[in-house]
Amino acid sequence: MRVKLCALLTIFISLAASTAWADPISKTTIPIAPKFRNTRVIRVVDLRTNVVQEDIGIRAKNIDSTPNNEYIFSLPQKAEEHVAIISAFLRQEPKTSLTIEQAGFDSEKEVQLYKITFDEPIQPDTEVRFGVKLAYTHVLTPLPAKIPQVARQFVVYNDNIYMYSPYFTDEIKTTLQLPSQVVQAYTGGEHVQHNGNKIVYGPFHSIMPETFDKLRVHYEFSKPLLTVTELVRDLQVSHWGGNLNVEENYKLHHSGAELETQFSRATYQLTRMVHGQTNVLKDLTLRLPAQARDVYYRDDIGNVSTSHFRNELKHSTLEITPRYPVFGGWNYTWFHGYNVDLAGFDHYSKEKEAYILNVNFVENVQDMVIDKAVVRVVLPEGATNVQVHTPFSMDSIQHETYYTNFDSTGRYLVILEKHNVVREHEQPIQITYQYPTIRLFQKPLLASAAIFVIFLMSTVFSKMSFTIGPKADATKKLE
């Protein structure tokens, strides 16, 4: 009897467990009240660079009976994963920026929701004109994936013909700006026009909420698709020498179409005149501060002599040429650095009674995508009350201690890290800290004390006798 009861209990537990595993994972649905109606939407998608820029102009009307100051902007999850930056602003006076923040994720529809907050509530039956700007990374796919060494590169871009909105839209038009007039194919049917380097979809009327219609364009892109897998910027502040030392380490990857055959140096030399029509990377031009000096450019092998540096009125220019041309799928690592006067970046504020360091988070991003950027700022030994202010969110901010020559207590080290960085992140970060003047003499005094101790110890040791046996015998032997 006990055996039968145990068997029945085992079967019951297994059935209950299988039923629990069979139940689908609960999903969240976020209801959105139809308080607004999009009377007109104009989208402009810039496909001329590696980072795709989208500018959306929205004219919305409050169709609710009460004033509202929150507008819900939605993005499908597949698009949101590639967003590097998003911002909102008024297109009517006073044309100020608007607060935009995540408002939740609708797992049922797989949509990320953003909340745009207006400074003043929108009255019933009143329109408001505002805009949303987005930057997307890694949304261009080379097709074909492999090409001959001397061939044009083509890429594919996928999107939605309409703006994926939770509100009803009266009218919408989407414009694609291309780098050239050469287009292999595009979707859209009879409501699309291709004129030069532009493709215009619409205008379309009476679009229901959350409407999706696939947009696909296959076009020529002759520029290299550059991705910096990791960028490490080291900045060292020296009040004693009034100097700011900057060094940048790059790990570059060409994400474009790869070579279908082995690289031929002879073919490369014979086709120099048409390299501009291919995706090969031959050189890079970097802008440095106008007072930059002691500039160097090296890679894993050593110093690279194929570089040119010149000081100009507003900035300095460093032109670097890699040791080899970089084709699709190839990698190249290097680092360069320079010194610059600290006074141009660091000043003392009597109001805050602290030093303020202003430096850009990243520089020379251009059309590259930076997957991971790490900025390490080394402050002088003895810096205290360190505070970091950034114009955008960081993935992590760490405070550590860094030791170098003749350091006793160690220098203050600030490490900032962010992923998916684009040109819009070339903004200054601000680090405030207190640094007493007496701390300037800490290292010289420490060095002087160390030298004094060494001489004192040498004097003491010189007076000590290390002979073996009675002192008289030793003296007699000397006589």
Side-chain angles (χ1 to χ4, degrees):
M1 186 66 179
R2 291 182 178 178
V3 176
K4 291 182 179 180
L5 288 175
C6 292
L8 290 173
L9 183 60
T10 304
I11 294 173
F12 175 77
I13 293 174
S14 61
L15 288 174
S18 62
T19 304
W21 282 106
D23 290 340
I25 299 175
S26 60
K27 296 185 177 182
T28 304
T29 302
I30 301 177
I32 301 174
K35 298 180 179 181
F36 284 92
R37 181 189 186 101
N38 300 322
T39 57
R40 191 179 185 189
V41 176
I42 297 179
R43 298 174 62 214
V44 178
V45 183
D46 191 347
L47 301 175
R48 293 175 295 183
T49 63
N50 185 18
V51 180
V52 175
Q53 306 282 344
E54 182 177 4
D55 190 351
I56 307 176
I58 303 173
R59 180 184 296 173
K61 176 188 289 187
N62 182 5
I63 59 176
D64 199 11
S65 58
T66 59
N68 290 286
N69 68 336
E70 293 182 353
Y71 179 97
I72 299 300
F73 180 81
S74 59
L75 275 177
Q77 182 182 10
K78 292 183 178 180
E80 199 273 337
E81 292 174 349
H82 298 277
V83 173
I85 194 168
I86 181 172
S87 61
F89 56 94
L90 279 177
R91 287 187 178 270
Q92 62 189 35
E93 295 298 334
K95 295 185 178 180
T96 57
S97 59
L98 300 174
T99 301
I100 180 170
E101 56 187 352
Q102 292 186 351
F105 180 74
D106 192 325
S107 58
E108 180 70 28
K109 301 175 183 178
E110 296 185 348
V111 172
Q112 177 65 55
L113 303 179
Y114 290 87
K115 179 178 64 176
I116 300 176
T117 304
F118 302 106
D119 297 333
E120 297 180 0
I122 310 302
Q123 300 300 321
D125 202 31
T126 303
E127 290 187 345
V128 59
R129 293 186 295 113
F130 63 98
V132 178
K133 287 188 176 182
L134 303 101
Y136 301 94
T137 60
H138 301 298
V139 292
L140 302 181
T141 305
L143 186 68
K146 294 185 178 182
I147 58 176
Q149 184 171 323
V150 183
R152 298 177 184 268
Q153 177 182 248
F154 288 84
V155 297
V156 171
Y157 173 72
N158 294 288
D159 198 355
N160 183 12
I161 292 179
Y162 315 106
M163 180 183 74
Y164 193 88
S165 174
Y167 307 117
F168 185 89
T169 303
D170 292 335
E171 180 183 344
I172 184 172
K173 183 173 71 172
T174 300
T175 301
L176 305 181
Q177 294 182 341
L178 307 175
S180 69
Q181 303 181 12
V182 183
V183 179
Q184 294 278 29
Y186 56 88
T187 59
E190 58 182 7
H191 296 287
V192 59
Q193 296 179 356
H194 178 207
N195 185 13
N197 65 334
K198 291 185 178 181
I199 299 179
V200 180
Y201 291 85
F204 303 97
H205 300 87
S206 301
I207 307 301
M208 297 299 295
E210 301 172 350
T211 300
F212 182 87
D213 192 359
K214 186 175 182 179
L215 180 153
R216 185 179 187 273
V217 58
H218 187 198
Y219 62 97
E220 180 186 0
F221 192 91
S222 58
K223 300 178 182 179
L225 298 175
L226 301 181
T227 300
V228 179
T229 57
E230 185 178 18
L231 167 63
V232 178
R233 298 191 73 212
D234 290 321
L235 298 93
Q236 294 196 25
V237 178
S238 173
H239 282 268
W240 181 262
N243 183 72
L244 176 65
N245 177 260
V246 181
E247 182 173 286
E248 298 182 334
N249 292 262
Y250 281 81
K251 293 182 179 180
L252 183 69
H253 174 72
H254 194 320
S255 304
E258 302 178 6
L259 296 178
E260 64 180 9
T261 58
Q262 292 185 352
F263 170 71
S264 171
R265 174 64 67 173
T267 303
Y268 178 77
Q269 294 294 340
L270 293 173
T271 58
R272 287 178 296 176
M273 301 300 295
V274 296
H275 286 169
Q277 303 177 24
T278 64
N279 69 346
V280 61
L281 174 66
K282 299 175 62 177
D283 50 49
L284 284 170
T285 301
L286 307 176
R287 283 192 173 188
L288 306 181
Q291 299 81 17
R293 62 183 183 276
D294 306 326
V295 180
Y296 58 90
Y297 160 47
R298 302 185 181 97
D299 58 12
D300 294 338
I301 299 177
N303 182 61
V304 184
S305 59
T306 54
S307 62
H308 302 279
F309 173 76
R310 61 180 181 273
N311 289 110
E312 300 179 7
L313 183 61
K314 295 183 178 180
H315 62 270
S316 300
T317 302
L318 175 62
E319 298 174 349
I320 63 176
T321 302
R323 294 183 184 272
Y324 50 86
V326 182
F327 286 89
W330 291 16
N331 301 318
Y332 184 65
T333 60
W334 83 90
F335 64 95
H336 65 267
Y338 56 90
N339 291 313
V340 67
D341 292 338
L342 182 62
F345 302 89
D346 199 334
H347 70 279
Y348 182 78
S349 174
K350 294 183 179 179
E351 180 182 355
K352 297 183 178 180
E353 296 183 350
Y355 286 92
I356 302 177
L357 176 67
N358 285 285
V359 292
N360 283 349
F361 177 66
V362 290
E363 293 181 342
N364 296 298
V365 179
Q366 303 177 15
D367 295 335
M368 297 183 289
V369 177
I370 302 178
D371 289 342
K372 179 182 178 181
V374 179
V375 178
R376 302 185 297 196
V377 182
V378 181
L379 299 176
E381 189 176 22
T384 58
N385 298 330
V386 179
Q387 297 181 1
V388 182
H389 308 276
T390 61
F392 43 81
S393 61
M394 294 285 171
D395 293 338
S396 69
I397 299 178
Q398 303 177 29
H399 299 261
E400 298 181 1
T401 303
Y402 177 82
Y403 288 92
T404 184
N405 300 330
F406 293 105
D407 285 344
S408 55
T409 58
R411 302 187 186 185
Y412 203 104
L413 173 63
V414 179
I415 304 176
L416 300 93
E417 184 175 324
K418 185 174 181 60
H419 294 78
N420 208 15
V421 175
V422 293
R423 182 171 50 191
E424 284 74 10
H425 292 116
E426 277 191 45
Q427 300 183 40
I429 59 175
Q430 189 177 89
I431 300 178
T432 61
Y433 60 96
Q434 293 180 342
Y435 184 64
T437 306
I438 191 64
R439 286 287 191 171
L440 286 170
F441 302 98
Q442 178 175 341
K443 186 168 291 188
L445 291 175
L446 179 64
S448 302
I451 295 174
F452 175 77
V453 170
I454 292 174
F455 275 106
L456 181 62
M457 293 179 63
S458 63
T459 303
V460 171
F461 279 109
S462 64
K463 298 297 183 180
M464 296 178 64
S465 175
F466 297 96
T467 57
I468 300 174
K471 186 175 180 181
D473 296 345
T475 306
K476 188 175 182 180
K477 289 183 178 180
L478 289 176
E479 292 176 356

